[in-house]
Each structure stands twice: as C-alpha cells, then as structure tokens.
Amino acid sequence: MGKRTASAETLKPDPVYNSKLVSKFINCVMTSGKKQTACRIFYDAMAQIKKRIPDMDPLEVFTQAVEHVKPTVEVRSKRVGGATYQVPMQVNRSRQQSLSIRWIVGAARDKVGRPMYLRLADELIAGFRREGEAMSKRENTIKMADANKAFAHFAW
C-alpha cells in the first residue's frame, strides 16, 4: 500500500492538551519541518476558538470538528477488463482520521489573505457546526460514492 510512517507508534501526546490527535494534527499543519511554527499556529487557533465560543472547551470543538468531517465511504478507482470504475468503499478508522485532518488543513490553507491560525480556527469552528470547506468535501465524497453505488459489487 502507501508509505507507512512510524508516527502511530512513536507519536507523543502534545504538551498542552495531552492528546495524540492534537499532535497528529500539528504534524499535518507543519511544513518543511517547522514544528515550532506549526505548534504556534495550532495553539493560536485554539485561543481564537476559545474567544469565539467561550462556553465550550476548544479541545472539544476541535475533536468534534475532526469527527464531523470524517467520511464513512469513499470511491476508489478499480480497473476491470480495460474499464476503470469508481468503486465505493468503506473507509477504515485511521484513514478516516487522516482524511479528515488533511481536508481541514487543506481547506484552511486554500483561503488566502489572513494569518493561518485565523483560517484554521474558522475551518475548525465551521467543521464543528457541520459546515465549511472540509465539510462540503466530505459531502461530495459521499455523494460520489452514492452515485457509483452500481459498481459496489466490484469492491473486493
């Protein structure tokens, strides 16, 4: 399959919230090995969320956002006798999580013109409220799988 990383076994919970999900997320935010910067972006985003939703724990908002964005089904390309079919398949737990994180971070990166931590906070709050860019990506993925239900029998 794809490239396997040791991250699942060696991942240490982050210092502030003591959560593995958070450190995984920070690692996905990180570009060119700048962990300090990634941490700052994430914790600033959490501070923003605290400001905007004062009566909620920001960690709770974050975990809920990641939960809400997780897709249950996706389409995979499958070649059968010279034709390529988009076959709907169940997504396993770890892939659900990484897709969810990837979509949230990607959505935040695509919005331009504001500091990353603000964009990330926006996207997380949107995900928490079941809206926003990452959420619509999830909807589209599920729609695709639905539209291609006819090919489900190719899944093996």
Side-chain angles (χ1 to χ4, degrees):
M1 276 316 262
K3 53 179 196 272
R4 293 282 297 146
T5 56
S7 66
E9 293 84 58
T10 59
L11 199 64
K12 290 184 183 63
D14 78 300
V16 179
Y17 298 103
N18 197 26
S19 137
K20 283 201 167 185
L21 180 60
V22 170
S23 26
K24 196 155 198 58
F25 196 85
I26 288 176
N27 287 344
C28 291
V29 172
M30 174 170 65
T31 52
S32 15
K34 298 191 172 180
K35 189 130 192 182
Q36 228 32 119
T37 313
C39 286
R40 193 162 60 242
I41 289 171
F42 181 79
Y43 294 129
D44 286 354
M46 288 309 236
Q48 272 297 315
I49 293 174
K50 187 113 191 85
K51 247 188 240 158
R52 286 193 225 164
I53 316 180
D55 48 351
M56 282 285 295
D57 172 24
L59 186 62
E60 185 55 35
V61 175
F62 164 71
T63 20
Q64 281 304 311
V66 173
E67 277 304 316
H68 290 170
V69 178
K70 280 183 182 178
T72 43
V73 282
E74 64 173 343
V75 287
R76 285 260 174 96
S77 300
K78 186 112 197 165
R79 287 207 56 167
V80 179
T84 308
Y85 297 109
Q86 296 283 8
V87 181
M89 286 183 163
Q90 289 296 316
V91 188
N92 70 21
R93 294 262 308 286
S94 59
R95 184 164 163 78
Q96 280 186 359
Q97 190 190 30
S98 58
L99 278 175
S100 168
I101 292 175
R102 197 179 310 158
W103 290 346
I104 291 172
V105 174
R109 284 210 179 111
D110 288 345
K111 292 192 180 71
V112 262
R114 290 168 65 223
M116 180 65 179
Y117 73 94
L118 290 175
R119 295 177 286 172
L120 190 58
D122 283 351
E123 201 47 58
L124 285 169
I125 290 171
F128 173 68
R129 298 196 175 127
R130 295 181 185 276
E131 53 203 31
E133 196 80 17
M135 209 57 202
S136 58
K137 194 157 175 80
R138 171 182 187 266
E139 300 303 318
N140 291 343
T141 306
I142 289 174
K143 271 198 201 99
M144 282 269 292
D146 239 27
N148 290 313
K149 221 187 243 136
F151 305 131
H153 62 279
F154 288 129
W156 64 75

